[in-house]
Amino acid sequence: MKMTLHLISSRRFLTVAALLAPLLLAGCEGSVSDSVGSIISNPFGSSEDSKKDVINVVDLNAQEIPWHIQSTVAATVLRLMNEEPETIDAQFSLVGSAGIATDENSSLAGFGVQNVQINDFFRPEDVPEVNRLGARLILVDPTGRRLGVSFVADYEIIDDKVILKGHQWGYARAEVPVVETYIVPLNAMEELDEARARDYGTFRSHILSHAVSTGDPAVSGNMEDYSVVTFVMDRILEGDKFEVRISAVKDSTEGFADDSRYVLHDNGWVTGIVPGRFSLAPDKSFWVKAVFTPKEKEDGGFFSKLLTNEKLIGLYNTANQTESAS
């Protein structure tokens, strides 16, 4: 199928306040409330090998996460949102949160915590007085955008205070980014100027308010001007590749992508747009494929360059609104 294309370049979520409210007791040991426990998970297995490298984490259930881990996680979340270090230190019995870097190119204000996963907790042999915490955060905003953050924090505990000695963090890649696809009339897209298109909240609200229903067997077969809009809900990393491909067949990642265009919002969220003239009648349906290729590993070697790591992360049919991750 060939189309003539002219292209342009209310979920429930857990707020930070909901996470941090039970952490206000930080500074005194005790059990953690159920609301915190429900979002803190521990990926460690029960093997003896894993227990050797972990201090009181493998055997902890969610209600027993120590106060100093809570404080360190809370300080990390708040600094990512550019909260003042003095306020964080005072609130969470912590010293040194100014050493937690923020992203100067992107504001995370408005994001809340969806999940906290404790990956590692031990005392390095060369500095046994230091606790080393490794964790991963999943943050989400009211529109459903998500991002992953992995961090490692070194700290001592002195006089019931967390003394932060070092902190490093970076954005983490979603293994299978979530996508959402909608179809809107082309004239609705033309109402947006570049500034409104780049502002994620404005753009998404406009698309959702103008999205047309698909999958109606009684829809007419008239050709109309539409745009296919595919949101990547997870933040993708520099070097990752995302494509929207149009195809007459469901199988494989193959499809027509030459004329697809993309909007980069807010330093890391991408939307794919494919305008064209087509019908939404069931007998004239086609497939919209969201294809993701993570950045090639630096040490992958010569033969890794001959292989493709692309994944089909979204599949949408214009007749029955089928969408799934491979």
Side-chain angles (χ1 to χ4, degrees):
M1 177 190 63
K2 180 70 173 179
M3 296 190 294
T4 301
L5 304 176
H6 301 279
L7 305 167
I8 65 173
S9 144
S10 70
R11 294 188 180 187
R12 179 184 177 187
F13 72 106
L14 187 61
T15 64
V16 176
L19 168 69
L20 299 184
L23 300 189
L24 295 179
L25 297 177
C28 58
E29 297 189 24
S31 62
V32 183
S33 72
D34 290 341
S35 60
V36 175
S38 65
I39 65 170
I40 295 182
S41 60
N42 191 322
F44 290 118
S46 59
S47 70
E48 292 302 319
D49 289 340
S50 64
K51 291 183 180 181
K52 292 178 182 178
D53 298 324
V54 181
I55 301 173
N56 294 330
V57 172
V58 172
D59 294 332
L60 291 178
N61 60 42
Q63 287 70 37
E64 296 172 329
I65 299 299
W67 67 269
H68 48 87
I69 290 181
Q70 296 181 50
S71 294
T72 306
V73 170
T76 300
V77 171
L78 290 177
R79 279 300 289 149
L80 290 176
M81 297 177 180
N82 212 30
E83 293 289 333
E84 291 299 322
E86 295 82 3
T87 303
I88 297 171
D89 287 351
Q91 190 172 7
F92 294 101
S93 297
L94 192 145
V95 175
S97 62
I100 303 174
T102 58
D103 186 345
E104 297 179 354
N105 299 314
S106 182
S107 172
L108 300 183
F111 279 80
V113 178
Q114 184 182 64
N115 180 266
V116 179
Q117 179 175 289
I118 307 301
N119 294 326
D120 213 359
F121 184 62
F122 65 99
R123 292 189 177 123
E125 292 184 1
D126 54 340
V127 279
E129 70 278 9
V130 166
N131 299 288
R132 178 162 294 168
L133 170 66
R136 178 181 172 118
L137 310 172
I138 302 297
L139 306 181
V140 62
D141 79 350
T143 70
R145 283 191 301 177
R146 301 189 310 177
L147 65 88
V149 171
S150 291
F151 75 87
V152 175
D154 284 356
Y155 61 89
E156 297 181 28
I157 302 173
I158 301 175
D159 297 331
D160 293 329
K161 283 185 178 293
V162 172
I163 313 298
L164 196 63
K165 311 296 288 188
H167 191 286
Q168 292 184 322
W169 70 270
Y171 290 114
R173 176 181 290 109
E175 183 175 350
V176 181
V178 172
V179 297
E180 294 180 2
T181 296
Y182 301 92
I183 294 177
V184 298
L186 184 60
N187 58 13
M189 293 293 298
E190 293 173 342
E191 294 173 2
L192 293 168
D193 57 21
E194 182 177 350
R196 295 178 68 202
R198 288 192 179 278
D199 181 82
Y200 185 87
T202 300
F203 182 81
R204 182 173 172 84
S205 177
H206 187 80
I207 296 303
L208 295 186
S209 64
H210 290 86
V212 301
S213 297
T214 60
D216 183 356
V219 71
S220 74
N222 293 340
M223 303 289 284
E224 303 286 350
D225 293 322
Y226 296 108
S227 284
V228 177
V229 180
T230 297
F231 292 96
V232 184
M233 304 305 294
D234 286 283
R235 187 186 192 279
I236 64 176
L237 305 187
E238 184 177 354
D240 292 344
K241 182 180 179 181
F242 165 70
E243 281 191 311
V244 178
R245 300 174 183 174
I246 304 299
S247 178
V249 297
K250 177 180 180 180
D251 297 333
S252 82
T253 60
E254 297 301 317
F256 178 72
D258 292 353
D259 292 329
S260 298
R261 294 294 182 268
Y262 306 90
V263 178
L264 178 63
H265 314 274
D266 304 341
N267 191 29
W269 281 274
V270 179
T271 300
I273 304 172
V274 187
R277 187 172 181 81
F278 53 87
S279 168
L280 294 178
D283 62 342
K284 297 180 180 179
S285 68
F286 57 91
W287 294 92
V288 181
K289 298 176 180 180
V291 180
F292 175 66
T293 308
K295 181 182 178 182
E296 181 182 286
K297 294 181 179 179
E298 297 294 338
D299 58 350
F302 171 76
F303 289 104
S304 69
K305 301 181 186 299
L306 303 179
L307 304 174
T308 177
N309 295 317
E310 67 179 26
K311 303 177 181 179
L312 182 65
I313 59 172
L315 189 62
Y316 177 97
N317 184 273
T318 57
N320 59 21
Q321 216 169 3
T322 297
E323 188 171 359
S324 62
S326 59

